[in-house]
Amino acid sequence: MEPFVLQRKKHDDGPVLLELKGWTDAYPALTAGFTTRSGGVSEGGCGSLNCALHVQDDEQHVIVNRQRVAEASGMPFDAWTCAEQVHGNHVHIVTSDERGRGRLNRDDAIQNADALVTDVTGVMLTSFYADCVPLLFLDPVQRVVGLAHAGWKGTVSKIGPATIHTMMANYDCRPEHIRAAIGPSIGPCCYEVDERVLAEVNHVFAACPEARAHADTIIRPTAPGHAMLDLRELNRQLLNQAGILTTNIECTSWCTGCHTDMFFSHRMEGGATGRMMSWIGWRMT
């Protein structure tokens, strides 16, 4: 069953969002999901719900889009907290003092982090994508949430396991309690890579028996030195190796490359496009 479900819009011109409905139904104070490209005010290649400030878009349009998403998620805009992503594997612990960083400008964002975790109620963690894999994390026992941005570089540097280990080390989370969701991203149908990327994936296989056992699924050769890569499945196996129960890992079927009417796709649109976002947070009650 698809974990990311279209949310009913609050207004006719409101943002079109995908909700992690299984999680939010189980925990009504939680909000979590992923945006589409529809229901904002941006124009051109960023039309219309671009949520990132680092692409060629009017900053005021981006802020309006972010405000719309925050309202639709049930969080105040001053809770919106984000990082300046660098395709690395650094995990940042968000404190109450950092609530709201990056919502209005990039200079104020948490720097050099591709994963965020927090146990602070009233913080809305956000992260940005246009084909890369969004990873969302929830420990309902310790009330810890997290997000990770896993492009191929973040994936092979194991940003997913790094996020889990940070949750365990800093919040006493137990891996059997952690739930993970793999969100809309470019699928193995659309993502062809070269030998440079394949070499890094093979290094992961050497250290991860779970991933190596699924190598035929993760990599499908197309030509010498080229193959279709299933980044979502590779992340699933890495999360499993890190201790997350198979039954606690949910994975989308949405491919951003196949559905450019619904999602921004860096690869399919030649880089001239906007960004979707993932979000997660506990609402104040």
Side-chain angles (χ1 to χ4, degrees), residues 177-189:
H177 293 157
I178 298 174
R179 301 177 65 170
I182 301 170
S185 48
I186 197 161
C189 46

Side-chain angles (χ1 to χ4, degrees), residues 93 117-119 138-145 163-178 244:
I93 298 169
V117 297
T118 194
D119 66 347
L138 166 68
D139 180 345
V141 177
Q142 301 289 39
R143 290 180 63 85
V144 176
V145 295
T163 307
I164 294 164
H165 296 154
T166 299
M167 293 170 68
M168 294 169 60
N170 292 274
Y171 300 109
D172 295 323
C173 297
R174 297 174 59 177
E176 63 267 28
H177 293 157
I178 298 174
I244 307 302

Side-chain angles (χ1 to χ4, degrees), residues 4 20 23 31-34 129 133-138 145-148 178-184 239 248 250 278-280:
F4 290 83
L20 256 177
W23 292 13
T31 179
F34 194 75
Y129 312 82
V133 179
L135 304 175
L136 294 88
F137 299 92
L138 166 68
V145 295
L147 296 176
I178 298 174
R179 301 177 65 170
I182 301 170
L239 297 178
N248 282 349
E250 301 177 74
S278 63
W279 82 87
I280 192 167

